[in-house]
Structure formats: structure tokens, C-alpha cells
Amino acid sequence: GVGEFLDGESGSSGVDLSGPTLDIGSSVSDLTLPGLDGGTIALSDLRGKIVVINFWASTCTPCVKEMPILDAAHRDLGESVAFVGVDVFESVKAGTAMVERTKVTYPQARDARSELFARFGGRQLPHTVVVDASGHLAARHNKVITSRAELDVPPAPTLAMPVAQSRSSARRARQRRAQAPPVAPPRRAKAPVSAACPRHCGCRQKL
């Protein structure tokens, strides 16, 4: 009944829930969500990582199919991308049952009054948004995600740095080689000529 969906509070989000829809590029780095299993999930703790936030509900049939796809992406992308699920407008009991059903392994939060869902531009479930490594809204998807490529995950700056550094190091090494004076090849020591060597011996010809 209605009580099943409205028990509990949505908690302090760190984002103005009464304002208009967040635009792409809006800062959400202060976002804090109540965890589905207690505690909180703060985006400030994930600073420096790309964050994929997926809104879902146990009554949403497409969500049941989508969540395992997101969990596979979560495992494949490793530490560079964090995933957070958000159970919308239902009880902890119903949300927990959904997590057990889909076997997802990334952290889960709840939005008991669907306020955050609305601020992120949600019109239907499932709804997925991507936050870049600097804490700004980078993409949103009001549709079912059917593959990892559809997430539009931007490249993480931390992943690009080693490549840039290696290119810079290689360039400096080439410059050092160009500026270094030429090195003469080592001279071969002359082999001693034995009086017993015949005239056609190679050692006389090399002298």
C-alpha cells in the first residue's frame, strides 16, 4: 500500500531539492544520499572518480534487466568509475529485495520521496546520470541502458595523465640525444704480427 512506499525520510542531500532541474555542467559534488542499508553515500568521498548514478524501483521491469548490465560495467571499469544505485519512492524492504534479486554489488542509496530523481531530470524509470571526476553533471539518460557504451562515460583525467607524462618524457629524451656531442666508436686494438705468420695471413693485411 501507500505506507510501503512512503516510510522513512529522504535525508539531507546537499543539493537543493526544491529547485529546477539540474543542467548539464551543474556541480553536484556536495551530494549526500542515505544508504539503503543505513549510513550515507557522499559524492565528496568519490572525488576524482567518474560516478554513474542509476535511479530504479523494484516495480520497474526494465530496471530488473538493466541493473545486471550496470553491475557488469562496474566490475569491468574497476576503480576509475564508481557506481551508485538509488531506489526511488519505496520502502527499504522492497529495495533490499530488489538488490538481492538482481545481485548487484555496487553501493545502493534511496530517494524515498523521489525529490532527487526529479532534480536530476528524471521522467521515467530507469534513469541514469553521469557525474564527471570534478563533480559536475556530465550526462543523463531517460532510458534503459543496454550496453556499457551507452553510458557516455568521459575519460578520467587520472587515466590520461600517465600517457601525457610518457609522451613528455619521450620528447625530453629525444632532445637530450640531439644535444649530446657525437661519441666516437671505440678503436680496435691492433693484433700483434707474428714472424711466423705467412704473407697471406689476415693479420698482415689489416695493418
Side-chain angles (χ1 to χ4, degrees):
V2 175
E4 179 185 6
F5 291 98
L6 295 180
D7 69 324
E9 297 296 327
S10 58
S12 174
S13 70
V15 171
D16 181 8
L17 300 180
S18 61
T21 300
L22 293 167
D23 294 325
I24 298 296
S26 298
S27 176
V28 293
S29 58
D30 294 331
L31 174 64
T32 300
L33 290 168
L36 185 61
D37 57 355
T40 58
I41 299 173
L43 257 62
S44 59
D45 295 335
L46 302 173
R47 195 179 304 277
K49 293 184 178 183
I50 295 166
V51 183
V52 176
I53 304 174
N54 174 247
F55 294 87
W56 56 269
S58 64
T59 54
C60 165
T61 301
C63 297
V64 178
K65 298 179 180 179
E66 180 189 63
M67 288 170 71
I69 295 172
L70 296 178
D71 192 59
H74 162 62
R75 294 193 302 271
D76 291 343
L77 292 171
E79 294 297 322
S80 62
V81 181
F83 282 71
V84 177
V86 182
D87 183 19
V88 177
F89 204 66
E90 60 185 358
S91 68
V92 172
K93 180 180 179 181
T96 301
M98 175 71 157
V99 172
E100 293 175 352
R101 178 183 179 186
T102 56
K103 303 185 188 310
V104 292
T105 56
Y106 49 85
Q108 300 294 324
R110 62 190 306 251
D111 182 17
R113 301 184 187 279
S114 67
E115 295 165 317
L116 193 63
F117 170 70
R119 286 289 274 125
F120 272 105
R123 297 191 301 271
Q124 62 185 21
L125 291 173
H127 178 63
T128 302
V129 299
V130 180
V131 178
D132 66 22
S134 64
H136 293 83
L137 184 60
R140 58 172 157 241
H141 307 283
N142 270 300
K143 64 175 185 177
V144 181
I145 299 297
T146 59
S147 70
R148 191 177 78 185
E150 293 181 18
L151 288 173
D152 290 340
V153 174
T158 52
L159 297 181
M161 284 176 60
V163 176
Q165 289 174 352
S166 64
R167 289 176 178 172
S168 178
S169 298
R171 186 166 55 251
R172 287 195 298 269
R174 287 195 298 269
Q175 291 172 348
R176 286 196 298 267
R177 288 196 296 269
Q179 295 170 358
V183 179
R187 298 183 63 183
R188 283 187 178 181
K190 295 182 178 180
V193 180
S194 171
C197 290
R199 291 185 176 277
H200 61 270
C201 177
C203 63
R204 290 181 179 274
Q205 294 173 5
K206 293 175 184 177
L207 293 179

